[in-house]
Amino acid sequence: MSQVSAQPHAHPRRRQPRIQVGDRLLTHLFIWPTLILLIVMNVFPLFYSLYLSFTEYSGIGDTPPDWVGIENYEEILSNTGHPDKRDGNRYWHNFAVTGRYAVMSVGLQLVVGFSLAMLLKEKFRGNGLVTTLILIPMMLAPAVVGIFWKLIFDPSKGIFSYMMYTSNPRDHAWLADPELALWAIVIVDVWMWSPFVMLLCLAGLRAIPDYLYEAAAIDRASAWFQFRRITLPRVAPLLLIALLFRTIEAFKTFDLVAELTFGNPGGDTTEVIALRLYREAFPPQFNTGESSAAAYIILILVIALSNLYIRALGRLRED
Amino acid sequence: MSDFFNDTIVDTFRDLGIPPFWVFFFLAFWTLAGITTTPVTFRSKRYNAYLGSVLGAPSGFAVGLLFLFCFGYWSDVSDFLWTNIGKPITPDLLRHMPFLGLLLGLGLSGAIAYTALIGAWMSIPARKPASTGPSANRPNLPTDYSVRVDKVTVRWQVTRVFRATASFAVAFLVLIPVIWMGMTAFKSQADAVASPPKLTFTPNLEGFVSQFWDHRDVKGEELEELRANEDDLSWQDKIMLDKEMTTTRTSDFALHLRNSLIIASTSTLLSVGFGLLAAYAFSRFNVPGEDDLLFFILSTRMLPPVVVTIPIFLMYRRIGLYDTHIGMIILYTAFNLSLSVWLLKGFIDEIPREYEEAALVDGYTRLQAFLRIVVPQAMTGIATTVVFCFIFAWNEYAFAIMLTSGDARTAPPSLPSKIGVGTTEWAAIAFGSLVFLIPVVIVTFALRQHLLRGVTFGAIRRG
């Protein structure tokens, strides 16, 4: 296939197409469909919600958006709430939950993923199979994973309690326990995404040339010294990418939490910011103006992180 | 034998605070490690490898027991950790935390296991270094020189085999939830919610039928009538008859699965099509502000779905795209475009420009060169991109739950709708999940060479 197409026919078709398309026109023709779609579906909505974030507006009401300036932002950041709301206006609480969740899950993922990569870096028979098997959780749908872990965490029917406790598993309902629920979500997230970190680290570890270790061994460098001075610096760029990517994703987490606890138990101990937004912006709350403002606060955070991420990716490309 | 195992060993360790699962797991693991590592050590001494296996099993089992005892002895430490996990760390808590104990327990068990299993054998001098390369089974050939000198010793070989065993054990642990899901899918409803969870059961298709067909209870005369005419019933009715139920019509889930298929595949085709054009332009032409544009395209991917959906929801409702296939297709196409542009650009960059230039000299137009030379050459890349886009659209949940309600709802948000309506039909949910997972698992295997590339947007080529 490739050979045929690599060598064009000696006598290409005589009849040239009637319209000769120049390279410059072609560039525009090729790029604009993509750009238009992205502008319509991403840029325009973002500007629209920027406008909405300065207004008092409800998605279901007939009243047009009412300009209120930065009142929404003030309200969110000053942590004062409408007295008539369910639990006040505790956005800071949601930010704190999200931050705690991000630190816990990303930290554990890096540790577990890196250890897995260290375990799998030497080739052995069946290495490819094991690596692929371990990668399966990463490709699953978060929603499906969430639903299923709900059964696994179930105190009487699930296997988690039976694996973790020696007696009377009915007492240990992780998802209903305000103190453990966040850890339960972290466990699922770590189960799902450590393979991603492992995949990146494995690429880094396999790319380290053997002669570095040989030279170090000849110089009688200890295993720890070799790890610290050869392995870590070589894997560091990939670890950075994993860290940034997972942090961005952690701030966006929605499906997993929505399926596992939906913010409960104990009121809202696991209500991450994306879930709070969903509750504010969609039925029955329909608090469009204020949720747009909150959305913009996350957006700024995520965009800052994505900047770093894309830069790190770019640096890796150049090498 | 099994009674002895259950009563004596498992109960002993249960008293020490180790759940039965881990007793089984570690005993099996260390026994396996014994079986796999001993032949390697004995081979270098030219003993019979089978002798090694025979010796390996009991010695590995013994190490396993030792390991568990060391763990169990410090079970109060682990108990402490489990009960206090998630609580804020206060100075008071720190004072009571027996760190030293934990370290001692881990260190001691590790050291004993190491000495027993590897340390002693390590000291046996190998007469001839066994090689890891192609000459491994032919001792007269020289060692493959590409193998590192320090990796042909017995110690390294044992470590390598131990690593392999440990990796398989880890893979098993990781896959337990998936295996459990597969098992639950074929359980009956009663078995699926049994407490304690059942490991052995008679597989049946109850989960499948109750996920894909709506069903209702039948009682009294109607039940008798159905039983009398059992031979005339459709096969799904026959299955449900054992549960004293009958199917009424195809369930919403089947419909939503079809929606998923339509939306995911159409949006994949569109995004790969547009992405291919844009990627070619970025790769071959001088696009003004190329880096900025690429940066912009990728950054759209990073936006949190909830943030984007708020305005899109309002937009869609106004122009009547809410809960329609077209609306979801457009959204997913835009969502996947960044991935497809970046991935495809990486693949097209790898095709030498000379092919096209030769074609252009021979009288092809740019468009012909693109269609007849670049596209066939990039076929692997296109296939990879198609699969990645499809998987992302297939798995997507946040957009779907916010922008659809009925007609165009896809499968992921529809799965849990079985929860909360009466009793949760876990077998049905497990079957639905399984149907949803199977394509993903197949694809993971098919794509394993390109996985890294896909998840890093083409930045890293090879794993």
Side-chain angles (χ1 to χ4, degrees), chain B residues 222-232 241:
Chain B
E222 200 186 351
L223 184 64
E224 296 301 320
E225 199 179 313
L226 282 174
R227 285 232 167 100
N229 306 328
E230 198 178 336
D231 290 341
D232 302 338
L241 194 60

Side-chain angles (χ1 to χ4, degrees), chain B residues 251-272:
Chain B
S251 73
D252 284 348
F253 181 76
L255 202 72
H256 294 158
L257 208 60
R258 208 195 58 174
N259 281 343
S260 257
L261 210 59
I262 294 172
I263 292 173
S265 49
T266 319
S267 74
T268 301
L269 284 183
L270 285 177
S271 56
V272 173

Side-chain angles (χ1 to χ4, degrees), chain B residues 87-164:
Chain B
K87 285 184 185 158
I89 296 172
T90 57
D92 193 45
L93 197 69
L94 275 178
R95 215 172 301 125
H96 289 96
M97 195 178 263
F99 269 125
L100 211 63
L102 181 71
L103 282 181
L104 259 176
L106 281 175
L108 197 68
S109 58
I112 290 173
Y114 186 78
T115 326
L117 190 70
I118 302 172
W121 293 325
M122 224 173 62
S123 58
I124 303 169
R127 216 182 296 166
K128 193 178 268 178
S131 149
T132 52
S135 57
N137 300 321
R138 286 170 293 167
N140 293 331
L141 289 176
T143 304
D144 185 352
Y145 56 80
S146 73
V147 173
R148 266 169 63 186
V149 186
D150 55 338
K151 284 192 181 178
V152 296
T153 56
V154 176
R155 177 186 176 163
W156 253 102
Q157 289 210 329
V158 172
T159 325
R160 211 160 48 97
V161 175
F162 187 77
R163 249 175 214 275

